[in-house]
Amino acid sequence: MNLKKTILACAAAVWALSANAQQAGEKFVGTMLGVGITKQSTEIGGTKYEDDPTVTLRLDPGFHFFLTDHFRLGLQAQLLRQSTKYDDGDKNSVGTFLIGPSAAFYLQLADRFYFAPELFFGFAHAKYKVEEDNRSRETENNGFGFDVAPLVFNFRATQRLAFSASLFNVSLVHMKLKDSNPETTSNAFDFNLGVNPSVGIHFFL
């Protein structure tokens, strides 16, 4: 009788684990929301500039599906708001919208708990605003961005609901900058490296 109870308990535990595990074919929608401070460097026309620490607000809505139990793809957007204030009172702000594919690999660490690093690549549109010497100017540019989030953890709370947390990310955004002279353009590379904690919620369909 004890052996039968033990077998039934093990079977129930395996069923509960598989019921809340990621499975091929599953789909979900969700978003990440985060705020952080990053160290940014910008290269324009071959000249590199080191900026003061930048405050970043981030929202990442998306639709995702699992190709296998451990690998998912998705279509994701990123909305970024970055602002930098300098000692002399000057300020820079950038609003960036990106959209493109994302991918993640899920490694199960415990019951319903996963390590899930992510990659994202997207086409970008950015609006820059510079305030200096009591004057301001704005420009809008297009380009692409690449983002790596190596420390993402996911908790599958129920069959329909999951939560995630990201602790750190590295991103690179390339923009084609146009001067007031339409014939004059230059390339800008914005590199961000920093602790950007964010949390997310995901609803499985």
Side-chain angles (χ1 to χ4, degrees), residues 1-17:
M1 181 65 68
N2 289 335
L3 178 59
K4 182 178 180 180
K5 289 181 178 180
T6 301
I7 293 174
L8 291 175
C10 291
V14 171
W15 178 86
L17 179 62

Side-chain angles (χ1 to χ4, degrees), residues 80-101:
L80 304 173
R81 178 70 179 180
Q82 299 171 304
S83 60
T84 307
K85 187 173 182 179
Y86 301 95
D87 294 336
D88 58 6
D90 294 345
K91 293 188 295 183
N92 289 348
S93 63
V94 184
T96 307
F97 172 77
L98 303 96
I99 188 167

